[in-house]
Amino acid sequence: MEAVEIQKSLKQDLFEGVDFLDLDDLLTEEQKLIRSSIRDFVKKEISPYIEDWAQKAHFPYEIVKKFGEVGAFGPQLPVEYGCGGLDYISYGLIMQEIERGDSGMRSTASVQGSLVMYPIYKFGTEEQRLKYLPRLASGELLGCFGLTEPDHGSNPSGMVTNFKDMGDHYLLNGAKMWISNSPKADIAVVWAKNEEGRIQGLIVERGMEGFSTPETHNKWSLRASCTGELVFDNVKVPKENLLPGKTGLGAPMMCLDSARFGIAWGAIGAAMDCYESARRYAAERIQFGKPIGGFQLTQKKLAEMLTEITKAQLLAWKVGKMMNEGKAKTVHISMAKRNNVEMALNIAREARQIHGGMGITGEYPIMRHMMNLESVITYEGTHDIHLLILGNEITGIQAFK
């Protein structure tokens, strides 16, 4: 693969946070320190390069090790496995700051921590934890999560990927699609049906015969993230690579709850970046003899943006508190993911209006965030599916099987 020459932006990242209701009062000193360290990391390692990465559809593989060094992989998992041992609000703040830099960058971290490391920790053996978690936490290994299939997205229980017991190994066949990290991943946590039709997780390693990871090209969204497929053609998986802790669809759904929680925080970061860019632009752009921030319609847009960000912050914080206390349910996380991503996408669109023609260029982050959020509103439970999860909770009647 030929090297991609990346241009460093000369624009300085001046972001200092958005906190209208002094919500920092709800955070501990440790949580604020963690947020500050990740914010500094994003300003140094992501902001100067992200526009060029996105323009060139380049995934900067070197960021994986850097994420490991700064503690962005599995920060909520125990320290004995090389992880951070942090609470869920700290995890949320880390995802918020990374997505303020870029949704694709946050996807890389989310998948590694919540969809690869979490299931190995939760459903794996102690041998599997010790073998994989420290290396995933440090960024020595990159992982991906195989659930979605070409014909089964919102209906994962219909999956056809399967494995058979061959005595001394399992034989895995099938395919997965829309898999973040897959083209570069060293391991994949793959969900497949056993011979009884029960869903179970397997750890598939790169290099296993019959396992390939074709890359997905021509994306208009998450362009700085790598996306691909997982193809299994009679892959021999060692028996010790089966995750024995849980069977059934509930196992991958638990992983998705953790990841969706991170998305609920991450979307706030993207919204903050769009709002701050619009606020600054409105103060500088002169039309009809005064800054456009002096016009009522611009002020309306900015006021509504700030209000929606503040509401989303409160929702994410409360769900984070419930996660820490073991009280958060799937429906709570669904509400936060659905609300906060829609909020961020609406803010990106309004911010684009304030920036006028400049809003479609790479001079500003707006269009990149907007295109990224079009993926975020669909993945890990579409906008409509999360609505129906809430609808089922309210009425007791399931609208889909």
Side-chain angles (χ1 to χ4, degrees), residues 45 72 146 148 161 395:
E45 302 291 352
T148 298
T161 299
T395 65

Side-chain angles (χ1 to χ4, degrees), residues 29 75 181 194 205 225 229-230 249-250 306 350 374 378 392:
E29 289 306 312
N181 297 355
N194 62 23
E205 298 185 13
S225 165
E229 301 170 50
L230 302 173
L249 191 58
L306 183 58
E350 290 290 88
E374 288 290 352
T378 294
N392 178 37

Side-chain angles (χ1 to χ4, degrees), residues 229-273:
E229 301 170 50
L230 302 173
V231 179
F232 315 106
D233 182 8
N234 287 323
V235 179
K236 292 179 181 177
V237 181
K239 289 212 159 174
E240 63 265 27
N241 284 29
L242 185 76
L243 298 177
K246 189 173 174 65
T247 66
L249 191 58
M253 290 298 111
M254 283 174 69
C255 307
L256 287 166
D257 274 349
S258 176
R260 288 162 176 166
F261 170 76
I263 290 172
W265 282 84
I268 297 171
M272 285 176 169
D273 205 43

Side-chain angles (χ1 to χ4, degrees), residues 169-188:
H169 65 272
Y170 297 115
L171 201 63
L172 177 66
N173 280 285
K176 303 292 181 177
M177 196 172 189
W178 304 119
I179 310 301
S180 292
N181 297 355
S182 88
K184 299 284 189 183
D186 301 290
I187 68 167

Side-chain angles (χ1 to χ4, degrees), residues 95 108 168 210 261 263 274 316 334 361 386 394 400:
M95 295 302 109
T108 301
D168 62 345
F261 170 76
I263 290 172
C274 292
S334 277
T361 72
H386 285 298
I394 293 162
F400 62 96

